[in-house]
PDB file of all heavy atoms in Angstrom:
ATOM      1  N   LEU A   1       0.842  -1.149  -0.044  1.00  0.00           N
ATOM      2  CA  LEU A   1       0.016   0.006   0.005  1.00  0.00           C
ATOM      3  C   LEU A   1       0.893   1.197  -0.012  1.00  0.00           C
ATOM      4  O   LEU A   1       1.680   1.493   0.972  1.00  0.00           O
ATOM      5  CB  LEU A   1      -0.920   0.016   1.234  1.00  0.00           C
ATOM      6  CG  LEU A   1      -1.802   1.240   1.403  1.00  0.00           C
ATOM      7  CD1 LEU A   1      -2.714   1.384   0.237  1.00  0.00           C
ATOM      8  CD2 LEU A   1      -2.678   0.985   2.701  1.00  0.00           C
ATOM      9  N   VAL A   2       0.839   1.998  -1.105  1.00  0.00           N
ATOM     10  CA  VAL A   2       1.737   3.144  -1.280  1.00  0.00           C
ATOM     11  C   VAL A   2       0.972   4.401  -1.311  1.00  0.00           C
ATOM     12  O   VAL A   2       0.122   4.602  -2.082  1.00  0.00           O
ATOM     13  CB  VAL A   2       2.515   2.922  -2.592  1.00  0.00           C
ATOM     14  CG1 VAL A   2       3.642   4.020  -2.753  1.00  0.00           C
ATOM     15  CG2 VAL A   2       3.141   1.636  -2.680  1.00  0.00           C
ATOM     16  N   PHE A   3       1.390   5.296  -0.416  1.00  0.00           N
ATOM     17  CA  PHE A   3       0.706   6.629  -0.456  1.00  0.00           C
ATOM     18  C   PHE A   3       1.728   7.699  -0.946  1.00  0.00           C
ATOM     19  O   PHE A   3       2.926   7.611  -0.814  1.00  0.00           O
ATOM     20  CB  PHE A   3       0.444   7.067   1.079  1.00  0.00           C
ATOM     21  CG  PHE A   3      -0.819   6.375   1.591  1.00  0.00           C
ATOM     22  CD1 PHE A   3      -0.652   5.244   2.277  1.00  0.00           C
ATOM     23  CD2 PHE A   3      -2.066   7.062   1.563  1.00  0.00           C
ATOM     24  CE1 PHE A   3      -1.765   4.587   2.867  1.00  0.00           C
ATOM     25  CE2 PHE A   3      -3.162   6.472   2.054  1.00  0.00           C
ATOM     26  CZ  PHE A   3      -3.004   5.224   2.735  1.00  0.00           C
ATOM     27  N   HIS A   4       1.132   8.720  -1.577  1.00  0.00           N
ATOM     28  CA  HIS A   4       1.908   9.924  -1.970  1.00  0.00           C
ATOM     29  C   HIS A   4       2.443  10.538  -0.636  1.00  0.00           C
ATOM     30  O   HIS A   4       3.547  11.009  -0.602  1.00  0.00           O
ATOM     31  CB  HIS A   4       1.029  10.869  -2.804  1.00  0.00           C
ATOM     32  CG  HIS A   4       1.687  12.180  -3.045  1.00  0.00           C
ATOM     33  ND1 HIS A   4       2.901  12.299  -3.641  1.00  0.00           N
ATOM     34  CD2 HIS A   4       1.263  13.439  -2.676  1.00  0.00           C
ATOM     35  CE1 HIS A   4       3.144  13.677  -3.681  1.00  0.00           C
ATOM     36  NE2 HIS A   4       2.208  14.316  -3.204  1.00  0.00           N
ATOM     37  N   GLU A   5       1.521  10.697   0.277  1.00  0.00           N
ATOM     38  CA  GLU A   5       1.920  11.240   1.666  1.00  0.00           C
ATOM     39  C   GLU A   5       1.001  10.631   2.710  1.00  0.00           C
ATOM     40  O   GLU A   5      -0.116  10.286   2.475  1.00  0.00           O
ATOM     41  CB  GLU A   5       1.874  12.799   1.641  1.00  0.00           C
ATOM     42  CG  GLU A   5       0.476  13.348   1.300  1.00  0.00           C
ATOM     43  CD  GLU A   5       0.441  14.833   1.296  1.00  0.00           C
ATOM     44  OE1 GLU A   5       1.515  15.423   1.094  1.00  0.00           O
ATOM     45  OE2 GLU A   5      -0.632  15.426   1.350  1.00  0.00           O
ATOM     46  N   LEU A   6       1.594  10.529   3.880  1.00  0.00           N
ATOM     47  CA  LEU A   6       0.926   9.821   4.965  1.00  0.00           C
ATOM     48  C   LEU A   6       0.901  10.867   6.155  1.00  0.00           C
ATOM     49  O   LEU A   6       1.673  10.715   7.062  1.00  0.00           O
ATOM     50  CB  LEU A   6       1.748   8.608   5.449  1.00  0.00           C
ATOM     51  CG  LEU A   6       1.275   7.206   4.974  1.00  0.00           C
ATOM     52  CD1 LEU A   6       2.239   6.208   5.376  1.00  0.00           C
ATOM     53  CD2 LEU A   6      -0.084   6.931   5.546  1.00  0.00           C
ATOM     54  N   GLU A   7      -0.160  11.742   6.119  1.00  0.00           N
ATOM     55  CA  GLU A   7      -0.084  12.655   7.258  1.00  0.00           C
ATOM     56  C   GLU A   7      -1.546  13.219   7.608  1.00  0.00           C
ATOM     57  O   GLU A   7      -1.648  14.306   8.139  1.00  0.00           O
ATOM     58  CB  GLU A   7       0.792  13.807   6.982  1.00  0.00           C
ATOM     59  CG  GLU A   7       0.562  14.565   5.708  1.00  0.00           C
ATOM     60  CD  GLU A   7       1.496  15.719   5.473  1.00  0.00           C
ATOM     61  OE1 GLU A   7       2.694  15.589   5.565  1.00  0.00           O
ATOM     62  OE2 GLU A   7       0.940  16.801   5.234  1.00  0.00           O
ATOM     63  N   SER A   8      -2.565  12.445   7.279  1.00  0.00           N
ATOM     64  CA  SER A   8      -3.857  13.017   7.636  1.00  0.00           C
ATOM     65  C   SER A   8      -4.854  11.970   7.963  1.00  0.00           C
ATOM     66  O   SER A   8      -4.585  10.746   7.695  1.00  0.00           O
ATOM     67  CB  SER A   8      -4.436  13.856   6.412  1.00  0.00           C
ATOM     68  OG  SER A   8      -4.838  13.010   5.409  1.00  0.00           O
ATOM     69  N   ALA A   9      -5.999  12.348   8.473  1.00  0.00           N
ATOM     70  CA  ALA A   9      -7.132  11.420   8.755  1.00  0.00           C
ATOM     71  C   ALA A   9      -7.546  10.732   7.451  1.00  0.00           C
ATOM     72  O   ALA A   9      -8.161   9.654   7.530  1.00  0.00           O
ATOM     73  CB  ALA A   9      -8.175  12.178   9.467  1.00  0.00           C
ATOM     74  N   TRP A  10      -7.391  11.330   6.348  1.00  0.00           N
ATOM     75  CA  TRP A  10      -7.767  10.788   5.079  1.00  0.00           C
ATOM     76  C   TRP A  10      -7.115   9.444   4.898  1.00  0.00           C
ATOM     77  O   TRP A  10      -7.741   8.505   4.478  1.00  0.00           O
ATOM     78  CB  TRP A  10      -7.412  11.807   3.980  1.00  0.00           C
ATOM     79  CG  TRP A  10      -7.908  11.569   2.610  1.00  0.00           C
ATOM     80  CD1 TRP A  10      -9.028  12.039   2.042  1.00  0.00           C
ATOM     81  CD2 TRP A  10      -7.298  10.705   1.614  1.00  0.00           C
ATOM     82  NE1 TRP A  10      -9.186  11.586   0.731  1.00  0.00           N
ATOM     83  CE2 TRP A  10      -8.142  10.754   0.464  1.00  0.00           C
ATOM     84  CE3 TRP A  10      -6.158   9.951   1.521  1.00  0.00           C
ATOM     85  CZ2 TRP A  10      -7.806  10.125  -0.688  1.00  0.00           C
ATOM     86  CZ3 TRP A  10      -5.835   9.276   0.395  1.00  0.00           C
ATOM     87  CH2 TRP A  10      -6.654   9.349  -0.712  1.00  0.00           C
ATOM     88  N   ALA A  11      -5.751   9.442   5.149  1.00  0.00           N
ATOM     89  CA  ALA A  11      -5.000   8.285   4.929  1.00  0.00           C
ATOM     90  C   ALA A  11      -5.549   7.113   5.898  1.00  0.00           C
ATOM     91  O   ALA A  11      -5.510   5.908   5.539  1.00  0.00           O
ATOM     92  CB  ALA A  11      -3.522   8.496   5.200  1.00  0.00           C
ATOM     93  N   VAL A  12      -5.922   7.515   7.080  1.00  0.00           N
ATOM     94  CA  VAL A  12      -6.374   6.489   8.087  1.00  0.00           C
ATOM     95  C   VAL A  12      -7.675   5.777   7.534  1.00  0.00           C
ATOM     96  O   VAL A  12      -7.732   4.525   7.685  1.00  0.00           O
ATOM     97  CB  VAL A  12      -6.701   7.189   9.406  1.00  0.00           C
ATOM     98  CG1 VAL A  12      -7.388   6.195  10.418  1.00  0.00           C
ATOM     99  CG2 VAL A  12      -5.444   7.711  10.046  1.00  0.00           C
ATOM    100  N   GLU A  13      -8.529   6.504   6.924  1.00  0.00           N
ATOM    101  CA  GLU A  13      -9.685   5.891   6.335  1.00  0.00           C
ATOM    102  C   GLU A  13      -9.421   4.907   5.181  1.00  0.00           C
ATOM    103  O   GLU A  13     -10.034   3.824   5.037  1.00  0.00           O
ATOM    104  CB  GLU A  13     -10.652   6.981   5.847  1.00  0.00           C
ATOM    105  CG  GLU A  13     -11.293   7.839   6.866  1.00  0.00           C
ATOM    106  CD  GLU A  13     -12.082   7.130   7.932  1.00  0.00           C
ATOM    107  OE1 GLU A  13     -12.996   6.426   7.582  1.00  0.00           O
ATOM    108  OE2 GLU A  13     -11.560   7.203   9.075  1.00  0.00           O
ATOM    109  N   VAL A  14      -8.422   5.210   4.410  1.00  0.00           N
ATOM    110  CA  VAL A  14      -7.930   4.311   3.360  1.00  0.00           C
ATOM    111  C   VAL A  14      -7.296   3.013   3.965  1.00  0.00           C
ATOM    112  O   VAL A  14      -7.636   1.987   3.521  1.00  0.00           O
ATOM    113  CB  VAL A  14      -6.907   5.039   2.413  1.00  0.00           C
ATOM    114  CG1 VAL A  14      -6.336   4.039   1.443  1.00  0.00           C
ATOM    115  CG2 VAL A  14      -7.633   6.149   1.632  1.00  0.00           C
ATOM    116  N   ILE A  15      -6.432   3.230   4.912  1.00  0.00           N
ATOM    117  CA  ILE A  15      -5.857   2.047   5.555  1.00  0.00           C
ATOM    118  C   ILE A  15      -6.840   1.160   6.156  1.00  0.00           C
ATOM    119  O   ILE A  15      -6.808  -0.102   6.039  1.00  0.00           O
ATOM    120  CB  ILE A  15      -4.793   2.592   6.648  1.00  0.00           C
ATOM    121  CG1 ILE A  15      -3.672   3.296   5.922  1.00  0.00           C
ATOM    122  CG2 ILE A  15      -4.315   1.372   7.420  1.00  0.00           C
ATOM    123  CD1 ILE A  15      -2.722   3.973   6.891  1.00  0.00           C
ATOM    124  N   ARG A  16      -7.892   1.759   6.731  1.00  0.00           N
ATOM    125  CA  ARG A  16      -8.952   0.971   7.363  1.00  0.00           C
ATOM    126  C   ARG A  16      -9.670   0.071   6.279  1.00  0.00           C
ATOM    127  O   ARG A  16      -9.903  -1.133   6.488  1.00  0.00           O
ATOM    128  CB  ARG A  16      -9.999   1.846   8.064  1.00  0.00           C
ATOM    129  CG  ARG A  16     -11.170   1.135   8.731  1.00  0.00           C
ATOM    130  CD  ARG A  16     -12.071   2.061   9.361  1.00  0.00           C
ATOM    131  NE  ARG A  16     -11.455   2.553  10.625  1.00  0.00           N
ATOM    132  CZ  ARG A  16     -11.203   3.873  10.789  1.00  0.00           C
ATOM    133  NH1 ARG A  16     -11.535   4.751   9.816  1.00  0.00           N
ATOM    134  NH2 ARG A  16     -10.686   4.284  11.856  1.00  0.00           N
ATOM    135  N   GLY A  17      -9.897   0.636   5.107  1.00  0.00           N
ATOM    136  CA  GLY A  17     -10.549  -0.143   4.078  1.00  0.00           C
ATOM    137  C   GLY A  17      -9.651  -1.258   3.548  1.00  0.00           C
ATOM    138  O   GLY A  17     -10.189  -2.362   3.342  1.00  0.00           O
ATOM    139  N   VAL A  18      -8.454  -1.019   3.356  1.00  0.00           N
ATOM    140  CA  VAL A  18      -7.480  -2.016   2.840  1.00  0.00           C
ATOM    141  C   VAL A  18      -7.394  -3.142   3.947  1.00  0.00           C
ATOM    142  O   VAL A  18      -7.411  -4.293   3.569  1.00  0.00           O
ATOM    143  CB  VAL A  18      -6.112  -1.395   2.588  1.00  0.00           C
ATOM    144  CG1 VAL A  18      -5.088  -2.549   2.225  1.00  0.00           C
ATOM    145  CG2 VAL A  18      -6.206  -0.368   1.426  1.00  0.00           C
ATOM    146  N   GLU A  19      -7.280  -2.795   5.124  1.00  0.00           N
ATOM    147  CA  GLU A  19      -7.229  -3.713   6.259  1.00  0.00           C
ATOM    148  C   GLU A  19      -8.453  -4.650   6.305  1.00  0.00           C
ATOM    149  O   GLU A  19      -8.304  -5.857   6.479  1.00  0.00           O
ATOM    150  CB  GLU A  19      -6.965  -3.037   7.638  1.00  0.00           C
ATOM    151  CG  GLU A  19      -6.949  -3.895   8.753  1.00  0.00           C
ATOM    152  CD  GLU A  19      -5.732  -4.865   8.757  1.00  0.00           C
ATOM    153  OE1 GLU A  19      -4.667  -4.461   8.252  1.00  0.00           O
ATOM    154  OE2 GLU A  19      -5.896  -6.002   9.218  1.00  0.00           O
ATOM    155  N   ASN A  20      -9.628  -4.058   6.046  1.00  0.00           N
ATOM    156  CA  ASN A  20     -10.875  -4.840   6.026  1.00  0.00           C
ATOM    157  C   ASN A  20     -10.791  -5.888   5.003  1.00  0.00           C
ATOM    158  O   ASN A  20     -11.253  -7.028   5.268  1.00  0.00           O
ATOM    159  CB  ASN A  20     -12.054  -3.868   5.792  1.00  0.00           C
ATOM    160  CG  ASN A  20     -12.368  -2.989   6.984  1.00  0.00           C
ATOM    161  OD1 ASN A  20     -11.931  -3.264   8.079  1.00  0.00           O
ATOM    162  ND2 ASN A  20     -13.224  -1.981   6.649  1.00  0.00           N
ATOM    163  N   ALA A  21     -10.258  -5.563   3.806  1.00  0.00           N
ATOM    164  CA  ALA A  21     -10.217  -6.536   2.676  1.00  0.00           C
ATOM    165  C   ALA A  21      -9.158  -7.588   2.880  1.00  0.00           C
ATOM    166  O   ALA A  21      -9.381  -8.773   2.620  1.00  0.00           O
ATOM    167  CB  ALA A  21     -10.004  -5.732   1.437  1.00  0.00           C
ATOM    168  N   VAL A  22      -7.938  -7.146   3.308  1.00  0.00           N
ATOM    169  CA  VAL A  22      -6.835  -8.171   3.419  1.00  0.00           C
ATOM    170  C   VAL A  22      -7.071  -9.129   4.597  1.00  0.00           C
ATOM    171  O   VAL A  22      -6.595 -10.289   4.534  1.00  0.00           O
ATOM    172  CB  VAL A  22      -5.437  -7.487   3.518  1.00  0.00           C
ATOM    173  CG1 VAL A  22      -5.154  -6.588   2.319  1.00  0.00           C
ATOM    174  CG2 VAL A  22      -5.332  -6.693   4.812  1.00  0.00           C
ATOM    175  N   ARG A  23      -7.835  -8.654   5.613  1.00  0.00           N
ATOM    176  CA  ARG A  23      -8.029  -9.575   6.732  1.00  0.00           C
ATOM    177  C   ARG A  23      -8.766 -10.805   6.285  1.00  0.00           C
ATOM    178  O   ARG A  23      -8.508 -11.927   6.787  1.00  0.00           O
ATOM    179  CB  ARG A  23      -8.837  -8.790   7.800  1.00  0.00           C
ATOM    180  CG  ARG A  23      -8.984  -9.583   9.102  1.00  0.00           C
ATOM    181  CD  ARG A  23      -9.901  -8.821  10.100  1.00  0.00           C
ATOM    182  NE  ARG A  23      -9.418  -7.447  10.307  1.00  0.00           N
ATOM    183  CZ  ARG A  23     -10.223  -6.386  10.034  1.00  0.00           C
ATOM    184  NH1 ARG A  23     -11.405  -6.465   9.501  1.00  0.00           N
ATOM    185  NH2 ARG A  23      -9.666  -5.176  10.311  1.00  0.00           N
ATOM    186  N   GLU A  24      -9.667 -10.660   5.394  1.00  0.00           N
ATOM    187  CA  GLU A  24     -10.447 -11.776   4.837  1.00  0.00           C
ATOM    188  C   GLU A  24      -9.588 -12.801   4.046  1.00  0.00           C
ATOM    189  O   GLU A  24      -9.897 -13.888   3.808  1.00  0.00           O
ATOM    190  CB  GLU A  24     -11.551 -11.293   3.973  1.00  0.00           C
ATOM    191  CG  GLU A  24     -12.561 -10.341   4.648  1.00  0.00           C
ATOM    192  CD  GLU A  24     -13.528  -9.691   3.644  1.00  0.00           C
ATOM    193  OE1 GLU A  24     -13.433 -10.007   2.459  1.00  0.00           O
ATOM    194  OE2 GLU A  24     -14.376  -8.830   4.044  1.00  0.00           O
ATOM    195  N   GLU A  25      -8.430 -12.245   3.526  1.00  0.00           N
ATOM    196  CA  GLU A  25      -7.607 -13.054   2.609  1.00  0.00           C
ATOM    197  C   GLU A  25      -6.355 -13.565   3.321  1.00  0.00           C
ATOM    198  O   GLU A  25      -5.586 -14.309   2.690  1.00  0.00           O
ATOM    199  CB  GLU A  25      -7.196 -12.219   1.420  1.00  0.00           C
ATOM    200  CG  GLU A  25      -8.381 -11.608   0.646  1.00  0.00           C
ATOM    201  CD  GLU A  25      -9.155 -12.758  -0.129  1.00  0.00           C
ATOM    202  OE1 GLU A  25      -8.589 -13.772  -0.344  1.00  0.00           O
ATOM    203  OE2 GLU A  25     -10.390 -12.463  -0.405  1.00  0.00           O
ATOM    204  N   GLY A  26      -6.152 -13.194   4.559  1.00  0.00           N
ATOM    205  CA  GLY A  26      -4.924 -13.624   5.235  1.00  0.00           C
ATOM    206  C   GLY A  26      -3.711 -12.997   4.791  1.00  0.00           C
ATOM    207  O   GLY A  26      -2.575 -13.552   4.968  1.00  0.00           O
ATOM    208  N   LEU A  27      -3.781 -11.792   4.280  1.00  0.00           N
ATOM    209  CA  LEU A  27      -2.629 -11.048   3.826  1.00  0.00           C
ATOM    210  C   LEU A  27      -2.236 -10.031   4.851  1.00  0.00           C
ATOM    211  O   LEU A  27      -3.058  -9.530   5.693  1.00  0.00           O
ATOM    212  CB  LEU A  27      -2.972 -10.367   2.479  1.00  0.00           C
ATOM    213  CG  LEU A  27      -3.362 -11.210   1.292  1.00  0.00           C
ATOM    214  CD1 LEU A  27      -3.793 -10.367   0.128  1.00  0.00           C
ATOM    215  CD2 LEU A  27      -2.245 -12.145   0.981  1.00  0.00           C
ATOM    216  N   SER A  28      -0.935  -9.606   4.760  1.00  0.00           N
ATOM    217  CA  SER A  28      -0.430  -8.459   5.590  1.00  0.00           C
ATOM    218  C   SER A  28      -0.175  -7.277   4.719  1.00  0.00           C
ATOM    219  O   SER A  28       0.070  -7.432   3.498  1.00  0.00           O
ATOM    220  CB  SER A  28       0.844  -8.911   6.306  1.00  0.00           C
ATOM    221  OG  SER A  28       0.597  -9.962   7.221  1.00  0.00           O
ATOM    222  N   ILE A  29      -0.149  -6.083   5.297  1.00  0.00           N
ATOM    223  CA  ILE A  29       0.067  -4.907   4.585  1.00  0.00           C
ATOM    224  C   ILE A  29       1.496  -4.417   4.731  1.00  0.00           C
ATOM    225  O   ILE A  29       2.004  -4.408   5.826  1.00  0.00           O
ATOM    226  CB  ILE A  29      -0.896  -3.769   5.062  1.00  0.00           C
ATOM    227  CG1 ILE A  29      -2.333  -4.185   4.807  1.00  0.00           C
ATOM    228  CG2 ILE A  29      -0.617  -2.448   4.290  1.00  0.00           C
ATOM    229  CD1 ILE A  29      -3.382  -3.259   5.446  1.00  0.00           C
ATOM    230  N   VAL A  30       2.139  -3.994   3.579  1.00  0.00           N
ATOM    231  CA  VAL A  30       3.438  -3.326   3.628  1.00  0.00           C
ATOM    232  C   VAL A  30       3.073  -1.856   3.292  1.00  0.00           C
ATOM    233  O   VAL A  30       2.635  -1.581   2.146  1.00  0.00           O
ATOM    234  CB  VAL A  30       4.381  -3.900   2.625  1.00  0.00           C
ATOM    235  CG1 VAL A  30       5.714  -3.060   2.647  1.00  0.00           C
ATOM    236  CG2 VAL A  30       4.678  -5.328   3.055  1.00  0.00           C
ATOM    237  N   LEU A  31       3.265  -0.943   4.182  1.00  0.00           N
ATOM    238  CA  LEU A  31       2.859   0.414   4.060  1.00  0.00           C
ATOM    239  C   LEU A  31       4.086   1.309   3.786  1.00  0.00           C
ATOM    240  O   LEU A  31       5.080   1.248   4.416  1.00  0.00           O
ATOM    241  CB  LEU A  31       2.168   0.925   5.330  1.00  0.00           C
ATOM    242  CG  LEU A  31       1.544   2.296   5.335  1.00  0.00           C
ATOM    243  CD1 LEU A  31       0.391   2.399   4.287  1.00  0.00           C
ATOM    244  CD2 LEU A  31       1.059   2.673   6.714  1.00  0.00           C
ATOM    245  N   SER A  32       3.982   2.116   2.698  1.00  0.00           N
ATOM    246  CA  SER A  32       5.113   3.067   2.410  1.00  0.00           C
ATOM    247  C   SER A  32       4.613   4.334   1.888  1.00  0.00           C
ATOM    248  O   SER A  32       3.459   4.464   1.397  1.00  0.00           O
ATOM    249  CB  SER A  32       6.054   2.417   1.390  1.00  0.00           C
ATOM    250  OG  SER A  32       5.377   2.071   0.221  1.00  0.00           O
ATOM    251  N   GLU A  33       5.531   5.383   1.854  1.00  0.00           N
ATOM    252  CA  GLU A  33       5.224   6.704   1.404  1.00  0.00           C
ATOM    253  C   GLU A  33       6.228   6.930   0.261  1.00  0.00           C
ATOM    254  O   GLU A  33       7.429   6.798   0.463  1.00  0.00           O
ATOM    255  CB  GLU A  33       5.368   7.733   2.491  1.00  0.00           C
ATOM    256  CG  GLU A  33       4.980   9.111   2.136  1.00  0.00           C
ATOM    257  CD  GLU A  33       5.081  10.088   3.327  1.00  0.00           C
ATOM    258  OE1 GLU A  33       5.944   9.821   4.178  1.00  0.00           O
ATOM    259  OE2 GLU A  33       4.384  11.042   3.337  1.00  0.00           O
ATOM    260  N   SER A  34       5.725   7.391  -0.866  1.00  0.00           N
ATOM    261  CA  SER A  34       6.688   7.642  -1.975  1.00  0.00           C
ATOM    262  C   SER A  34       7.570   8.792  -1.682  1.00  0.00           C
ATOM    263  O   SER A  34       7.100   9.850  -1.251  1.00  0.00           O
ATOM    264  CB  SER A  34       5.880   7.801  -3.289  1.00  0.00           C
ATOM    265  OG  SER A  34       5.106   8.994  -3.251  1.00  0.00           O
ATOM    266  N   ALA A  35       8.859   8.629  -1.907  1.00  0.00           N
ATOM    267  CA  ALA A  35       9.805   9.709  -1.644  1.00  0.00           C
ATOM    268  C   ALA A  35       9.738  10.811  -2.671  1.00  0.00           C
ATOM    269  O   ALA A  35       9.972  11.991  -2.434  1.00  0.00           O
ATOM    270  CB  ALA A  35      11.257   9.151  -1.545  1.00  0.00           C
ATOM    271  N   GLU A  36       9.381  10.434  -3.928  1.00  0.00           N
ATOM    272  CA  GLU A  36       9.325  11.436  -5.025  1.00  0.00           C
ATOM    273  C   GLU A  36       8.002  12.162  -4.891  1.00  0.00           C
ATOM    274  O   GLU A  36       7.037  11.786  -4.214  1.00  0.00           O
ATOM    275  CB  GLU A  36       9.376  10.752  -6.362  1.00  0.00           C
ATOM    276  CG  GLU A  36      10.821  10.202  -6.700  1.00  0.00           C
ATOM    277  CD  GLU A  36      11.148   8.987  -5.933  1.00  0.00           C
ATOM    278  OE1 GLU A  36      10.307   8.361  -5.381  1.00  0.00           O
ATOM    279  OE2 GLU A  36      12.424   8.721  -5.924  1.00  0.00           O
ATOM    280  N   ARG A  37       8.020  13.337  -5.534  1.00  0.00           N
ATOM    281  CA  ARG A  37       6.814  14.251  -5.469  1.00  0.00           C
ATOM    282  C   ARG A  37       5.561  13.673  -6.006  1.00  0.00           C
ATOM    283  O   ARG A  37       4.516  13.737  -5.350  1.00  0.00           O
ATOM    284  CB  ARG A  37       7.157  15.600  -6.055  1.00  0.00           C
ATOM    285  CG  ARG A  37       6.034  16.611  -6.023  1.00  0.00           C
ATOM    286  CD  ARG A  37       6.442  17.945  -6.372  1.00  0.00           C
ATOM    287  NE  ARG A  37       5.278  18.872  -6.283  1.00  0.00           N
ATOM    288  CZ  ARG A  37       4.816  19.485  -5.205  1.00  0.00           C
ATOM    289  NH1 ARG A  37       5.290  19.159  -4.052  1.00  0.00           N
ATOM    290  NH2 ARG A  37       3.805  20.273  -5.230  1.00  0.00           N
TER     291      ARG A  37
END
């Protein structure tokens, strides 16, 4: 899961949705923020 930037409540809502989906599939999340603009 790659974000352009990770610094707001907006990102938290996205992470929650991804977590809901991967939990059903037995997957783990690798979270990163792109260094480039």
Side-chain angles (χ1 to χ4, degrees):
L1 176 59
V2 187
F3 283 89
H4 169 57
E5 57 183 19
L6 257 174
E7 57 178 50
S8 75
W10 191 94
V12 173
E13 295 302 300
V14 171
I15 294 170
R16 179 176 291 117
V18 174
E19 178 64 31
N20 289 344
V22 300
R23 189 184 304 119
E24 302 170 2
E25 302 293 336
L27 302 176
S28 299
I29 300 172
V30 176
L31 186 62
S32 60
E33 182 179 31
S34 63
E36 286 74 16
R37 180 166 178 78

